[in-house]
Amino acid sequence: EQLQTLMETALDALITCDTRSTIIGWNHEAEKIFGWTREEAVGQTLTETIIPPDLRGAHSAGMKRYLESGEGPVLGRRIEIEAVDRSGRRFPVELGINPIPTSAGLMFSAFIRDITERVGQEQRLLGSEYRLRNALAAMKAGAWDYRLDADGMIIEAITDDRTREILGDDAAVPPAGRTRIHDAYRAEVAKAWSEHLAGEVSRYAVEYRRIVDDGDVVWVRELGSLVEIEEDEADALAGQLRRPRRMIGVVEDVTSAKLLEASLLDARKLEAVGTVA
């Protein structure tokens, strides 16, 4: 009775079959996911109910191989695969299968979870990342993702190639500690960083001059903002940090824009002098 209750209250579909793939057990969650009642499913085969037509051959071959050799590459671990419900809808599932020796012969138990929503979220996230990468590429900008300790120091830095190209070794260093910032802007950058961390301004936004390896000076624009850390990530960091924080931002080399701005300003000055003359 306890086992039956456990099966019926499981959050995953729990299906049991014999060596001929005939369904023996079918819990309540399996009814919800696949649309077959227990009475309808028991006695049918997996290939008649939940396995898509193009995967049925692979299933039969895998069952035969296990019975002959005792080897099954999908047994004893979780995999992601597609299943089909009673209406013919095809959808992604997470599947775990284990063989069960019993006095009545060998059986197999399968735990199945519908992961349609998770896969959809992953696809939307990939789409967002793709659009972000293309937008940054069009801007010739880079992105950074910093995990901060309670004092605002970076304990983990995730940066892309463009960020490292613009900032060099400073890419993994908090702005206040970067060595290549021009002395005239060092205090301004540190102030912008600390004010945002303290919640005094809504975002970290600053433009400054940076000295590169050949001694030239380039203009850099940085924008960043603190974001909420997800609960599981916060739990993982809780032992290391008193107050885990995360900041995401972008960095852009705006030297060309600054030179153009200076040229336009000079042109306006000359035009003004000409007008006066």
Side-chain angles (χ1 to χ4, degrees):
E1 290 175 355
Q2 289 177 338
L3 178 59
Q4 187 64 33
T5 301
L6 178 63
M7 291 176 58
E8 290 307 317
T9 57
L11 298 179
D12 292 346
L14 176 55
I15 301 172
T16 308
C17 71
D18 61 17
T19 55
R20 296 184 299 275
S21 296
T22 301
I23 297 170
I24 300 170
W26 186 270
N27 73 345
H28 179 64
E29 191 65 21
E31 292 183 335
K32 289 174 56 179
I33 292 177
F34 296 106
W36 301 89
T37 66
R38 179 187 292 102
E39 291 73 19
E40 293 170 329
V42 171
Q44 294 197 69
T45 64
L46 296 176
T47 53
E48 294 171 327
T49 51
I50 68 173
I51 299 177
D54 58 318
L55 298 179
R56 291 170 185 171
H59 168 78
S60 299
M63 179 71 78
K64 180 181 179 182
R65 181 169 62 251
Y66 178 78
L67 295 175
E68 292 176 350
S69 65
E71 297 179 358
V74 301
L75 298 177
R77 63 188 185 94
R78 289 191 177 274
I79 63 170
E80 291 185 8
I81 197 169
E82 288 190 322
V84 64
D85 65 12
R86 185 172 187 170
S87 69
R89 178 180 70 96
R90 189 162 174 157
F91 58 98
V93 297
E94 186 179 76
L95 168 68
I97 307 176
N98 283 295
I100 307 174
T102 72
S103 59
L106 183 64
M107 294 191 297
F108 298 88
S109 66
F111 289 86
I112 303 173
R113 180 176 302 171
D114 184 346
I115 57 173
T116 302
E117 183 177 351
R118 190 186 80 194
V119 170
Q121 290 174 344
E122 291 173 351
Q123 290 175 344
R124 288 191 292 273
L125 178 59
L126 287 174
S128 298
E129 291 178 349
Y130 175 78
R131 290 189 291 273
L132 176 59
R133 284 196 301 270
N134 279 277
L136 291 174
M139 295 168 57
K140 296 183 179 180
W144 44 257
D145 185 345
Y146 295 153
R147 269 57 166 192
L148 310 173
D149 66 14
D151 300 317
M153 299 301 294
I154 297 173
I155 60 170
E156 182 184 7
I158 302 173
T159 59
D160 61 13
D161 292 341
R162 181 58 176 158
T163 298
R164 292 188 291 274
E165 181 182 338
I166 295 173
L167 297 180
D169 294 338
D170 281 343
V173 179
R178 292 176 182 167
T179 59
R180 294 302 185 98
I181 296 176
H182 194 285
D183 289 341
Y185 296 87
R186 192 173 300 280
E188 180 183 342
V189 173
K191 180 173 180 290
W193 179 260
S194 61
E195 285 181 346
H196 180 59
L197 290 182
E200 297 173 10
V201 294
S202 61
R203 64 175 182 169
Y204 165 66
V206 67
E207 287 186 1
Y208 59 90
R209 297 173 73 189
R210 183 175 182 278
I211 303 170
V212 294
D213 291 336
D214 57 7
D216 288 343
V217 176
V218 299
W219 278 96
V220 173
R221 177 187 295 139
E222 273 192 292
L223 302 173
S225 180
L226 286 168
V227 298
E228 291 293 329
I229 293 182
E230 297 178 1
E231 290 185 6
D232 56 344
E233 186 179 1
D235 291 341
L237 294 172
Q240 308 170 35
L241 307 175
R242 297 192 303 276
R243 185 176 54 179
R245 290 187 291 181
R246 177 184 182 190
M247 186 183 283
I248 296 176
V250 295
V251 58
E252 182 182 5
D253 184 337
V254 292
T255 305
S256 298
K258 286 291 184 180
L259 292 175
L260 179 60
E261 182 181 327
S263 297
L264 290 174
L265 182 60
D266 288 342
R268 290 194 185 99
K269 289 179 179 179
L270 289 174
E271 182 180 1
V273 170
T275 301
V276 172

